[in-house]
């Protein structure tokens, strides 16, 4: 099964967060839109993509927006990944024995990124790295904040358009 497409209602979940506590999609959506990114520490495309999603998080910290990672690894390995790649947004742990949330979202590859509107509807579904999809997510977040989109790319950076997950 392919990842859930835009136009589908995002399945709710409650998961433990590596930084402590728990997170539920329903509670996050009550604050505003959610950018959900599934990843695995051994995935080179995840290693490429998550630092850019950290920029999305930093640009939207003060706005009622959630950027939430969902790791398919154990807590110890996830913490090491977050330190190595400079990721500070909250990261939940999908059970690595059964992957119930990953399966509910139809994951076939990582990274998989979803933009979920406050209504719970998936508006962007991206498997792998897609610069244009991340830009579309950034634009939607800017519209939610009623401000221009925050710059994500630095001068002179060579950002790949697409990398398969």
């Amino acid at each position: 099964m392919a990842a859930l497409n835009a136009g589908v209602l995002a399945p709710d979940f409650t998961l433990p967060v590596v930084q402590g506590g728990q997170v539920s999609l329903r509670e996050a959506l009550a604050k505003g839109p959610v950018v959900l990114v599934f990843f695995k520490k051994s995935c080179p495309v995840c290693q490429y993509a998550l630092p850019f999603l950290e920029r999305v998080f930093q640009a939207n910290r003060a706005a009622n927006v959630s950027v939430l990672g969902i790791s398919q690894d154990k807590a110890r390995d996830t913490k090491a990944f977050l330190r190595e790649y400079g990721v500070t947004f909250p990261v939940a742990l999908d059970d690595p024995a059964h992957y119930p949330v990953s399966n509910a979202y139809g994951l076939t590859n990582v990274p998989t990124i979803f933009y979920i509107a406050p209504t719970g509807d998936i508006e962007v579904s991206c498997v792998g790295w897609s610069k244009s999809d991340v830009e579309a997510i950034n634009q939607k977040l800017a519209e939610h904040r009623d401000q221009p989109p925050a710059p994500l790319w630095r001068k002179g950076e060579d950002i790949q358009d697409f990398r398969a997950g």
Side-chain angles (χ1 to χ4, degrees), residues 35-133:
V35 178
L36 199 59
V37 56
F38 290 83
F39 71 97
K40 196 161 186 65
K41 70 176 181 81
S42 60
C43 162
V45 181
C46 299
Q47 296 163 4
Y48 180 82
L50 266 71
F52 292 118
L53 293 166
E54 174 68 17
R55 292 181 189 177
V56 171
F57 171 68
Q58 292 298 333
N60 291 280
R61 282 189 87 128
N64 291 320
V65 167
S66 298
V67 176
L68 176 64
I70 300 200
S71 173
Q72 294 181 336
D73 294 300
K74 294 179 180 174
R76 182 189 75 239
D77 296 331
T78 300
K79 287 177 184 178
F81 178 96
L82 300 179
R83 276 191 306 275
E84 183 173 353
Y85 293 96
V87 174
T88 64
F89 55 79
V91 174
L93 300 169
D94 202 4
D95 177 2
H98 304 290
Y99 303 117
V101 178
S102 297
N103 289 332
Y105 279 76
L107 262 64
T108 55
N109 296 8
V110 288
T112 298
I113 306 164
F114 297 96
Y115 174 88
I116 305 170
T119 60
D121 293 315
I122 295 172
E123 292 188 359
V124 177
S125 175
C126 170
V127 178
W129 166 259
S130 167
K131 181 179 178 184
S132 64
D133 283 342

Side-chain angles (χ1 to χ4, degrees), residues 138-160:
N138 194 44
Q139 178 64 42
K140 286 181 174 293
L141 293 172
E143 290 167 5
H144 175 75
R145 292 188 335 261
D146 199 27
Q147 296 177 348
L152 296 178
W153 324 127
R154 297 182 180 132
K155 186 175 181 172
E157 265 185 328
D158 181 23
I159 310 299
Q160 294 182 1

